[in-house]
Amino acid sequence: METISDLEKQLGGMREFYLKGKTKEASWRIAQLKGLRNFLREKEEDIFEALKKDLRKHPVEAYRDELGILIKSLNLALNDLKKWMSSKTAKLPIIALLSSAEIIPEPLGLVLIISSWNFPLGLSLDPLIGAIAAGNAVVLKPSELAPACAALLAANIPNYLDSKAVKVIQGGPAVGEQLLQQKWDKIFFTGSTRVGRIIMLAATKHLTPVTLELGGKCPLVLDSLSWSLDKEVAVNRILFAKFGCCAGQACIAIDYLLAEKQFSSTLVNLLKAMVKKMFGENPKESCSISRIVNKDNFLRLKKLLDDPLVKASIVHGGQMDEDNLFIEPTILLDPPLESELMTEEIFGPLLPIITLEKIEDSIDFINSRPKPLALYAFTKNKTLQRRMITETSSGSVIFNDAIIQFAVDTLPFGGIGESGIGKYHGKFSFDTFSHYKSVARRSFLTDFWFRFPPWNNSKLLLLDSAYNYDYFGVVLVILGLKRSRKGFNIN
Amino acid sequence: MKEQVFDEEAARSLVKELRVNFAAGKTRSYDWRVAQLKSMIKMMEDHEPEIVAALREDLSKPEMESSIYEIALLKNSCVLALKELKHWMMPDKVKTSITTFPSSAEIVSEPLGVVLVMSAWNYPFLLSLDPVVGAIAAGNAVVLKPSEVAPATSSLLLRLVGQCLDSSCIRVVEGAVPETSALLLQKWDKIFYTGNGRIGRIVMSAAAKHLTPVVLELGGKCPVIVDSGINLQVMARRIIMGKWGCNNGQACISPDYIITTMDYAPKLVDVLKHELEQFYGKSPLESKDISRIVNSNHFARLTNLLDDEKVSGKIIHGGERDKTNLKIAPTILLDVPRDSLIMNEEIFGPLLPILIVDKVEDSFNVINSSGSKPLAAYLFSNKKELKEQFVKTVSAGGLVVNDTTLHLAVHTLPFGGVGESGMGAYHGKFSFDAFSHKKAVLYRSFVGDAPLRYPPYTSKKLKLMKALLGGSLFGIIRALLGWS
């Protein structure tokens, strides 16, 4: 671990380099993005290996959720960079005092990215893509809870990217604290709500703007579906979005289901059948399911099930293997709402089903809890869809699927309330690391005399007309045909 | 009736009440928002004399500045919002790619909920209600806390807002530190603060506890770079208007100091002196066309800057004071040292120091190495290259070439700071956006389910997935046919 003064020296060097202006050049940014793409292509095997080591992630899952997404992000950034970097003309009214106005994006400076352990590659590099595309110098602190990935990044990034402007700093909470003491032009954090508060408070010292990608309990409202094919597709998607995505350890994993009482037994049977199909008779031997990241989290999840009332509500699964950090896909029916399982973000392969009298009750249920990062609703009922959008609030709303919104880079990805501040993905990543600077220009001609004191009523009338774009009024005043205005007049 | 103290209990029940009213859905309707905006316009039309009088009481603000810079600008905001609201409220459809085919997506603007607007004392009417216009347009319930340093305007706002706008969802809370602290302890869905960096930090810390997003419109030292070879009279008039014509220099975007070369400075000073006399006469302390200093605290602060021994010999124009009437004459100081008091804090008053550099290009470095990015920076020049360098290298909230402060009135430009000068922006549609949550909505159907994303995972699925995420139709076909 470095000392504070080493760190400050490093950061000072990075700031100096940034001030020279290199990172602002399009060619530099493109070279970095291409370098990153080369890293992902050339080191693919190592990446799969690291993800397997840290989370027992299958290469298909790793590609689908991390590697593939990053390549897509890189291709988009490389393709659109010039467009993103260009200034936008701002419309002026017809008789404007200004001759031109535009909005120009510029980098913020030296930014800090702190990422999470569950998608250790994706959540480190996707924000990095935005920060570089926007022309910043970046320090990345990957999560120490995914050590193989952190080490991989620390070893490789200096070889593929410009180490004068992009650095990876490894470490745990102590290093994190040291970093938070420094002055940053932006902090981008992915992690828990609790730590999010700490980060925002630390950012106050230097008035550093933040983007916080936090969590919460993402509910899935499951309406009764009549078509058997629809039911099958729905169940497949639910299972994948819970158990097939880092074993439920994802901020946008389905946390719990809401379904009508009358549908619940059919649902449970379908889920049980499909779980077997996806993960086999003995899921522990399936290589298609990730492990719990470490012992702390394993014990946390175990504790959730220790509650006797919760245990009694298990309708499938429940098997655990502490040595292998394995918890089998577990389904619960109506566990008590005050249990920790139902008040804390689960972040694991436990899927509670809460039954309601009618599906519309889900709206009140959701609104009486903190705003989630994502709200999922499986329904073909257009009225219910509209109500879900207008009567609830969440980072995003997805109909008839889950998790996939992550791959749509035209949609902003972020939370609201306790699920986060700010957004990214696609161009939103570029925006979140940019300052949009207004630039107004004037010529030395055309100065209206009535803009200057000493003041009198006719100047007031002229300015009033000009500011209201009432050109006819201006003419009337000049011709002496209008001598007073509605409201105040100077005597 | 005995006045009730606005304490934490009162703040909590205020927020609770507004949350209930917001949840009932009233503020979301287009009609409600339109009605409030129309009422605000009518309020200004019916009560303009009272508003002007309150501003004269609080700041000795000339009627002209009140009518134009506070009332007319606010009216413009309302008129624009009324014109564009339907369009702003419509969801934005966005394209989806083959990766999620078939699907459709849109971004829906929804109100954040119950928001807090805290305003400043220098444009107490405009800076209170302009953010409120954005909050209302976006469909929120609002609590406004005007600055207690402008008490006449604060109580006028309490009365007029109570009279003209919907009190079930829009409220004014008057007060100073205790009331503000009580408000800041509550959970808001957004806090919009205009003022200085010290309080800005307090606001952000309070917001951090509830993860409340903030917009902070702060300040800084807005530099004016003056190059040679320009129309001096036009430049001088524009600088004077931006400085003394804007609440006597007490404005966040007022030119704070000038940077120019030693050769050019005398010419610059001569023209400034001449134009100042044209505008304000030979005894500017008696001119009615210039605001006073807001209160004795600020008066003492400003005279302290003048009495700093490092600059007291540098005053080349003005310097006269009238403590009783809280007036300081337009004052120019030439060749101030960089480590003087006046160069190390935002002046926010009628003192204009001139900093000398060897060549005008050096001024960019002066600004960029000052350690904080200003809210605005200005350049007067006719040289194309210098103007381009300025725009390229100077980082500030906003830049204006060959004028000052005007960008404030252009609603298509986002108005806000960067770094120490603030975070977030508003005006025009940016106000609506500042008070909205842009919710992503993705529609998928049950048709077209590709089993390749589900377990059990195989290498064949991996190949197909690579092709799908790569987005190339050809690649997909190849993978499907087993050729890659």
Side-chain angles (χ1 to χ4, degrees):
Chain A
M1 196 171 83
E2 303 165 4
T3 62
I4 298 252
S5 63
D6 282 342
L7 177 63
E8 282 174 3
K9 228 162 76 181
Q10 260 191 41
L11 297 181
M14 287 178 83
R15 249 191 215 290
E16 251 181 71
F17 181 73
Y18 169 76
L19 286 170
K20 291 204 175 99
K22 194 79 199 277
T23 64
K24 289 188 178 182
E25 292 167 23
S27 56
W28 183 88
R29 307 184 203 191
I30 289 171
Q32 302 314 300
L33 294 173
K34 285 187 170 162
L36 204 54
R37 196 167 58 179
N38 289 339
F39 163 61
L40 295 175
R41 283 182 182 152
E42 288 167 24
K43 298 287 173 180
E44 194 183 272
E45 287 299 318
D46 292 348
I47 291 170
F48 285 148
E49 195 55 52
L51 285 166
K52 195 170 224 126
K53 219 160 156 200
D54 282 335
L55 293 150
R56 273 275 240 137
K57 245 185 224 200
H58 191 283
V60 172
E61 193 182 321
Y63 194 85
R64 182 195 71 203
D65 296 343
E66 302 206 49
L67 206 47
I69 299 283
L70 287 172
I71 297 216
K72 196 163 73 63
S73 282
L74 279 164
N75 287 339
L76 180 74
L78 282 163
N79 206 32
D80 287 1
L81 188 66
K82 287 254 159 77
K83 194 164 67 153
W84 293 352
M85 282 175 71
S86 63
S87 63
K88 317 269 175 299
T89 314
K91 222 170 73 151
L92 289 170
I94 305 172
I95 295 184
L97 298 171
L98 294 171
S99 52
S100 80
E102 55 179 355
I103 305 170
I104 303 181
E106 59 173 31
L108 292 165
L110 179 59
V111 306
L112 173 65
I113 297 174
I114 299 177
S115 70
S116 174
W117 51 259
N118 52 345
F119 296 86
L121 207 78
L123 297 178
S124 295
L125 299 180
D126 215 353
L128 182 67
I129 291 169
I132 289 176
N136 297 280
V138 195
V139 167
L140 167 63
K141 188 196 107 44
S143 172
E144 74 283 11
L145 297 181
C149 287
L152 182 75
L153 287 171
N156 283 285
I157 293 289
N159 298 331
Y160 287 88
L161 297 181
D162 185 348
S163 52
K164 295 192 283 301
V166 183
K167 286 210 207 296
V168 176
I169 295 183
Q170 290 192 84
V175 169
E177 254 181 66
Q178 270 184 9
L179 287 169
L180 287 177
Q181 295 300 322
Q182 307 306 315
K183 176 171 154 89
W184 304 98
D185 298 297
K186 177 110 190 188
I187 299 177
F188 186 106
F189 170 76
T190 308
S192 73
T193 301
R194 186 187 65 87
V195 180
R197 284 194 179 89
I198 296 172
I199 304 255
M200 188 166 169
L201 198 59
T204 305
K205 188 159 156 215
H206 297 285
L207 286 169
T208 302
V210 299
T211 294
L212 305 173
E213 295 275 332
L214 310 175
K217 292 176 81 63
C218 298
L220 191 145
V221 176
L222 183 57
D223 196 7
S224 314
L225 301 163
S226 37
W227 277 52
S228 61
L229 198 62
D230 286 351
K231 285 208 259 280
E232 217 182 277
V233 171
V235 165
N236 264 339
R237 290 178 178 178
I238 290 171
L239 291 176
F240 135 75
K242 179 68 166 189
F243 307 118
C245 198
C246 205
Q249 300 166 103
C251 54
I252 42 173
I254 302 170
D255 192 277
Y256 62 98
L257 290 182
L258 289 164
E260 275 180 7
K261 270 194 176 52
Q262 45 161 341
F263 188 43
S264 58
S265 55
T266 324
L267 175 61
V268 169
N269 290 335
L270 257 175
L271 284 168
K272 283 164 122 167
M274 299 307 281
V275 157
K276 285 206 182 76
K277 218 164 155 200
M278 257 189 206
F279 303 108
E281 281 295 333
N282 195 353
K284 199 155 88 168
E285 275 151 42
S286 156
C287 53
S288 297
I289 188 165
S290 305
R291 290 294 185 262
I292 308 305
V293 67
N294 59 20
K295 200 145 246 171
D296 280 343
N297 273 289
F298 180 89
L299 292 171
R300 178 185 64 80
L301 289 162
K302 181 166 180 296
K303 189 159 156 273
L304 294 179
L305 292 183
D306 279 345
D307 178 339
L309 287 173
V310 170
K311 203 178 224 139
S313 68
I314 298 178
V315 294
H316 178 90
Q319 288 245 25
M320 303 195 195
D321 179 350
E322 193 167 327
D323 295 327
N324 286 306
L325 295 177
F326 171 76
I327 296 179
E328 89 170 294
T330 301
I331 304 170
L332 308 93
L333 185 57
D334 279 325
L337 294 177
E338 331 75 53
S339 61
E340 239 182 275
L341 181 80
M342 282 310 296
T343 55
E344 299 290 312
E345 185 175 4
I346 295 170
F347 228 70
L350 316 175
L351 180 63
I353 303 171
I354 307 292
T355 61
L356 307 162
E357 285 302 324
K358 45 187 209 330
I359 201 66
E360 288 80 5
D361 294 344
S362 55
I363 293 179
D364 283 340
F365 190 96
I366 292 164
N367 284 339
S368 57
R369 288 165 172 75
K371 298 178 183 181
L373 186 51
L375 166 62
Y376 302 113
F378 280 34
T379 177
K380 288 167 119 164
N381 181 339
K382 293 258 188 289
T383 310
L384 186 62
Q385 283 185 354
R386 204 176 23 88
R387 284 193 69 192
M388 282 287 150
I389 297 175
T390 56
E391 292 179 40
T392 69
S393 184
S394 55
S396 52
V397 181
I398 295 88
F399 292 110
N400 304 330
D401 208 334
I403 304 225
I404 198 168
Q405 74 273 23
F406 201 71
V408 180
D409 48 40
T410 48
L411 284 177
F413 184 80
I416 176 147
E418 287 178 31
S419 52
I421 296 179
K423 50 197 184 259
Y424 75 128
H425 282 185
K427 181 170 187 288
F428 301 105
S429 294
F430 177 87
D431 293 342
T432 207
F433 287 102
S434 297
H435 165 52
Y436 278 90
K437 183 166 76 178
S438 299
V439 180
R441 297 166 216 266
R442 245 197 111 168
S443 73
F444 280 99
L445 311 169
T446 64
D447 234 339
F448 298 123
W449 76 97
F450 49 87
R451 209 186 142 200
F452 309 119
W455 303 129
N456 55 44
N457 207 42
S458 100
K459 286 187 181 180
L460 174 60
L461 294 174
L462 285 167
L463 273 176
D464 187 9
S465 304
Y467 267 83
N468 283 308
Y469 309 130
D470 174 15
Y471 311 121
F472 189 55
V474 172
V475 172
L476 288 181
V477 176
I478 293 175
L479 292 175
L481 295 174
K482 180 172 170 186
R483 287 180 221 273
S484 70
R485 59 193 277 277
K486 191 171 161 202
F488 185 80
N489 283 282
I490 298 178
N491 299 319
Chain B
M1 191 177 82
K2 183 178 187 285
E3 259 206 40
Q4 284 200 294
V5 171
F6 187 85
D7 58 4
E8 220 217 296
E9 189 51 54
R12 201 176 318 136
S13 62
L14 170 64
V15 175
K16 193 159 165 224
E17 189 194 331
L18 288 181
R19 276 204 192 286
V20 166
N21 294 342
F22 173 76
K26 203 177 207 198
T27 62
R28 286 176 187 258
S29 88
Y30 172 76
D31 292 331
W32 182 88
R33 306 182 203 191
V34 163
Q36 299 313 302
L37 294 171
K38 284 189 170 158
S39 296
M40 205 181 279
I41 294 177
K42 186 160 190 302
M43 174 183 89
M44 281 183 267
E45 287 173 354
D46 293 346
H47 299 273
E48 189 174 338
E50 293 156 78
I51 300 168
V52 170
L55 291 167
R56 198 159 247 297
E57 194 183 317
D58 282 334
L59 295 149
S60 299
K61 198 172 272 212
E63 288 85 351
M64 193 70 148
E65 285 191 43
S66 303
S67 288
I68 298 305
Y69 295 142
E70 300 229 27
I71 298 172
L73 279 181
L74 183 66
K75 216 172 189 203
N76 266 354
S77 276
C78 294
V79 166
L80 178 78
L82 279 167
K83 183 163 164 252
E84 300 287 328
L85 190 61
K86 252 204 181 104
H87 175 64
W88 291 348
M89 283 173 72
M90 275 176 39
D92 253 319
K93 288 229 176 305
V94 297
K95 286 212 296 250
T96 54
S97 71
I98 196 163
T99 318
T100 55
F101 182 82
S103 62
S104 68
E106 59 184 5
I107 302 173
V108 171
S109 295
E110 65 174 28
L112 292 165
V114 179
V115 304
L116 173 65
V117 173
M118 296 169 62
S119 71
W121 53 260
N122 56 341
Y123 286 80
F125 190 74
L126 177 71
L127 297 179
S128 295
L129 294 178
D130 208 0
V132 171
V133 167
I136 291 173
N140 299 278
V142 196
V143 170
L144 166 64
K145 155 82 190 65
S147 169
E148 70 278 14
V149 180
T153 312
S154 175
S155 47
L156 182 68
L157 282 167
L158 178 69
R159 183 163 62 82
L160 290 183
V161 169
Q163 228 174 286
C164 306
L165 301 180
D166 180 350
S167 323
S168 69
C169 301
I170 305 170
R171 288 273 245 286
V172 174
V173 173
E174 286 198 273
V177 174
E179 291 79 4
T180 307
S181 308
L183 287 169
L184 285 176
L185 282 170
Q186 308 313 312
K187 178 175 156 77
W188 302 95
D189 297 303
K190 184 115 188 186
I191 301 178
F192 187 108
Y193 169 76
T194 307
N196 66 58
R198 192 182 62 86
I199 308 289
R201 280 172 170 82
I202 294 175
V203 171
M204 191 172 166
S205 302
K209 290 201 179 61
H210 299 287
L211 288 168
T212 298
V214 299
V215 170
L216 304 175
E217 296 272 328
L218 309 175
K221 294 178 77 62
C222 300
V224 188
I225 305 171
V226 179
D227 188 20
S228 55
I230 54 170
N231 183 330
L232 282 165
Q233 190 188 51
V234 172
M235 170 227 60
R237 288 177 170 179
R238 291 176 185 179
I239 289 182
I240 294 172
M241 280 320 292
K243 180 79 168 185
W244 297 282
C246 272
N247 205 27
N248 203 14
Q250 299 166 109
C252 51
I253 43 170
S254 263
D256 188 279
Y257 64 102
I258 292 180
I259 311 177
T260 193
T261 55
M262 196 35 126
D263 295 331
Y264 210 58
K267 297 194 193 97
L268 168 61
V269 169
D270 279 337
V271 182
L272 275 173
K273 286 180 170 180
H274 180 260
E275 293 302 317
L276 276 170
E277 199 178 299
Q278 292 293 309
F279 289 7
Y280 303 117
K282 287 208 194 301
S283 332
L285 284 177
E286 284 149 41
S287 169
K288 283 207 163 28
D289 293 331
I290 196 165
S291 300
R292 67 156 200 266
I293 307 304
V294 66
N295 62 21
S296 47
N297 283 348
H298 281 277
F299 185 89
R301 182 182 64 78
L302 289 163
T303 49
N304 203 28
L305 295 180
L306 283 181
D307 293 340
D308 177 10
E309 58 183 12
K310 293 204 174 98
V311 306
S312 48
K314 308 280 185 180
I315 300 173
I316 52 162
H317 182 86
E320 299 98 6
R321 316 136 196 217
D322 175 356
K323 194 165 173 186
T324 331
N325 293 309
L326 293 174
K327 291 220 166 188
I328 298 177
T331 303
I332 304 174
L333 305 93
L334 181 56
D335 197 12
V336 292
R338 305 248 185 112
D339 59 349
S340 52
L341 283 173
I342 204 172
M343 282 310 295
N344 280 292
E345 62 175 71
E346 186 177 0
I347 295 169
F348 226 68
L351 319 177
L352 181 64
I354 301 177
L355 207 67
I356 300 293
V357 289
D358 289 330
K359 42 188 215 311
V360 74
E361 289 80 0
D362 292 344
S363 36
F364 301 149
N365 215 20
V366 170
I367 300 169
N368 283 340
S369 59
S370 68
S372 48
K373 299 175 183 178
L375 186 53
Y378 308 113
L379 168 71
F380 283 87
S381 174
N382 271 326
K383 301 198 192 88
K384 182 162 174 250
E385 249 180 58
L386 196 70
K387 290 193 260 189
E388 277 172 21
Q389 261 290 90
F390 174 65
V391 170
K392 205 168 139 210
T393 56
V394 174
S395 183
L399 303 178
V400 185
V401 176
N402 294 334
D403 207 329
T404 63
T405 71
L406 276 190
H407 60 302
L408 178 101
V410 180
H411 69 80
T412 47
L413 288 175
F415 185 78
V418 62
E420 289 281 340
S421 51
M423 54 179 82
Y426 73 129
H427 286 181
K429 180 169 189 286
F430 302 103
S431 294
F432 177 86
D433 292 343
F435 287 101
S436 299
H437 168 48
K438 302 291 178 177
K439 186 158 76 178
V441 181
L442 180 65
Y443 297 88
R444 290 263 294 163
S445 75
F446 290 109
V447 171
D449 204 27
L452 71 92
R453 42 173 201 163
Y454 307 130
Y457 300 131
T458 61
S459 58
K460 190 159 152 218
K461 282 188 182 181
L462 179 59
K463 290 199 175 91
L464 191 50
M465 182 152 324
K466 280 188 172 181
L468 202 66
L469 280 167
S472 126
L473 195 55
F474 189 54
I476 294 166
I477 295 171
R478 281 178 63 192
L480 282 170
L481 293 173
W483 282 351
S484 40

